[in-house]
Amino acid sequence: MIQAIAFYIFAVVMIASAALTISSRNPVHSVLWLILAFFNAAGLMVLAGAEFIAMLLVIVYVGAVAVLFLFVVMMLDIDFSELRAGFVRYLPLGLALAVALLAEVIIGVGAWSVGGVNLSKRIAPIAEQTPNIQAIGDLLYTRYLFVFEAAGLVLLVAMIGAIVLTHRKRAGVRPQIISRQVARRPQDATRNVKPAVGQGVEL
Amino acid sequence: MTALFTSWGMAYGWAWFLATIIGILVIALPVMLAVALIIYADRKIWAAMALRRGPNVVGPLGILQSFADGLKVFLQETIIPAAANRGLFLLAPIITFTVALIVWAVVPFQPGVVLSNINVGLLYVLAASSIGVYGIIISGWASNSKYPFYSALRAAAQMVSYEVSIGFVLISVVLWAGTFNLTGIVEAQRGLYGFINGNWANPLLFPMAIVFLISSMAETQRAPFDLTEAESELVAGYQTEYSSMAFALFWLGEYANVILMCALNASLFWGGYLPPFDWAPLYFVPGIIWLLAKMLFFFFVFSWVKATVPRYRYDQLMRLGWKVFLPLSLFWVFLVSGFLMLTRVGVPS
């Protein structure tokens, strides 16, 4: 009963916020609706018993990716009329994508309801009470080790690429040399002088 | 408690629902009371360090000062700037306050006494603390004013940076304990060398305890890392446009976060609800007293630092996060896992 109520709340809010993500005029509102959608997706995953994936979704997408999204979008200066002009031009492409996605969902649900795919027999069956994290870890670090490490390597290359693209040496900048700042002592910077009356101090 | 309600003839689902709501109230109300008292304690500690008296008028020794302040802001007018984004402007303090409270669901107060004993407890803590930044970003943007906006940008960069190193610190603790469950992590600290309860006595984890303490100060934006509300540069940062209850919610949320970070420090590295030494007579004192004592100690450290250390520069803050803590904690994850591989798992042939 509680699960059913929770499921419908999460599902309805998620679909509504997903719809508002694409329909709201203000891009910052869009990102915030997107975050709400992520959040409810995490709630649905908890209901499905995948608490590890749910937490990762919140940590990675809500906590890191969406923050940077919001960061960029907040500083954008967007001309809304130009955005709306693009709507008609990209409508056919968008419709084609939507139809393709819908077809995939229908095929997926169809195949599942026919019963052709039995996941518990496809991969190594997992003991009933194994925690999520352990089950994923067992698979990730044994069977899919090379795929996992390859994914890590791709991410590393992407990171280096981003640094190479954005990092540039600028002329006329004086970088801070931290070790010199730390090594500086009060006696290097201050001097105790006792000038006689009527005399100034030479610096 | 669920069992009690089911014995009254309630369906299991509703009994669980009611028991959880009561559990939430039992935790959240004392936390809010604790926030009021801890603000008073904070002001008293600074006052003592600055050779002042601090609040001493309302109630005996001024202990009711926070309640008087609360009543005052409650009676004030809520001002919403005309150019502000109304809905988001009011949503932001609610987010900050709520996020500070929801993490308490997984903090163990005694063996087995925890609202929700989930096996991804530490990930839940990380997830909740990563939402915390939205309260500040949204308030900064919705205020439609330049100082709150600068503050929001600073907060976003600061909290995301320090969450990275906090994540690695937590991973090394998790590797040692072998579980993400907070109760499990506390229990794994029992009887180190046969008599000490706490990861701090472990030379492999002690540096991480220090890194976590400093990172938690940065994560809660306490001095010396309070650049988001640096009054000499940004007026009051993201709170500039707020007044009345909305402002009070930010304040409460901030202090609730600080208490929470003290509880996490205590639970992850200093034995949580366990007494400091594994000696039978100490176990007669209930676990929650030990936890509270440790939290108060860490709160004193937080106040002490705030009263004595000058504020960091922003570039120093970023350098500390990315160039010192991140490599150090990443290296420590390798070190801890390598050590465990050698001692517990064994070298693969």
Side-chain angles (χ1 to χ4, degrees), chain A residues 1-2 5 26 28-29 32 35 39 51-52 55-56 58-59 61-64 66-68 70-71 74-75 131-133 176 178 181, chain B residues 13-14 16-17 85 88 118-120 123-124 126-127 130-131 133-134 137-138 141 149 152-153 156-157 160 163 180 313 315-316 319:
Chain A
M1 183 64 188
I2 303 261
I5 294 173
N26 192 326
V28 173
H29 290 181
L32 291 173
I35 291 162
F39 223 69
E51 69 271 9
F52 180 64
M55 291 302 149
L56 277 197
V58 175
I59 294 171
Y61 283 90
V62 178
V67 171
L68 299 180
L70 200 59
F71 205 95
M74 272 187 345
M75 290 193 283
N132 256 232
I133 305 173
Q176 303 198 14
I178 303 291
Q181 294 180 0
Chain B
W14 292 111
W16 174 86
F17 188 68
N85 192 316
L88 289 179
I118 51 177
N119 59 12
V120 286
L123 286 177
Y124 175 82
L126 261 184
S130 64
I131 310 164
V133 68
Y134 283 106
I137 298 186
I138 291 175
W141 183 78
F149 190 68
L153 295 184
V160 170
E163 249 153 42
F180 271 97
R313 243 175 21 221
D315 65 306
Q316 289 173 329
R319 180 180 165 272

Side-chain angles (χ1 to χ4, degrees), chain B residues 220-239:
Chain B
T220 50
Q221 283 142 20
R222 287 278 291 192
F225 305 111
D226 58 344
L227 283 140
T228 52
E229 43 197 280
E231 61 277 353
S232 49
E233 306 158 29
L234 296 180
V235 191
Y238 58 94
Q239 306 165 341

Side-chain angles (χ1 to χ4, degrees), chain B residues 327-346:
Chain B
L328 186 69
S329 51
L330 188 57
F331 173 70
W332 230 264
V333 170
F334 277 95
L335 200 68
V336 170
S337 48
F339 181 79
L340 290 178
M341 194 81 190
L342 278 176
T343 53
R344 288 192 201 166
V345 184

Side-chain angles (χ1 to χ4, degrees), chain B residues 260-343:
Chain B
L260 178 77
M261 277 300 176
C262 295
L264 285 180
N265 263 305
S267 297
L268 290 174
F269 291 102
W270 302 79
Y273 54 73
L274 296 171
F277 298 102
D278 198 14
W279 184 46
L282 290 177
Y283 284 96
F284 286 115
V285 180
I288 189 161
I289 303 285
W290 288 119
L291 182 66
L292 276 178
K294 288 169 186 173
M295 279 164 60
L296 282 178
F297 171 73
F298 279 108
F299 187 75
F300 178 74
V301 172
F302 270 58
S303 296
W304 186 9
V305 169
K306 182 164 184 166
T308 46
V309 180
R311 183 179 291 138
Y312 258 49
R313 243 175 21 221
Y314 200 75
D315 65 306
Q316 289 173 329
L317 176 88
M318 283 295 144
R319 180 180 165 272
L320 184 69
W322 288 107
K323 291 190 179 171
V324 180
F325 282 177
L326 179 64
L328 186 69
S329 51
L330 188 57
F331 173 70
W332 230 264
V333 170
F334 277 95
L335 200 68
V336 170
S337 48
F339 181 79
L340 290 178
M341 194 81 190
L342 278 176
T343 53

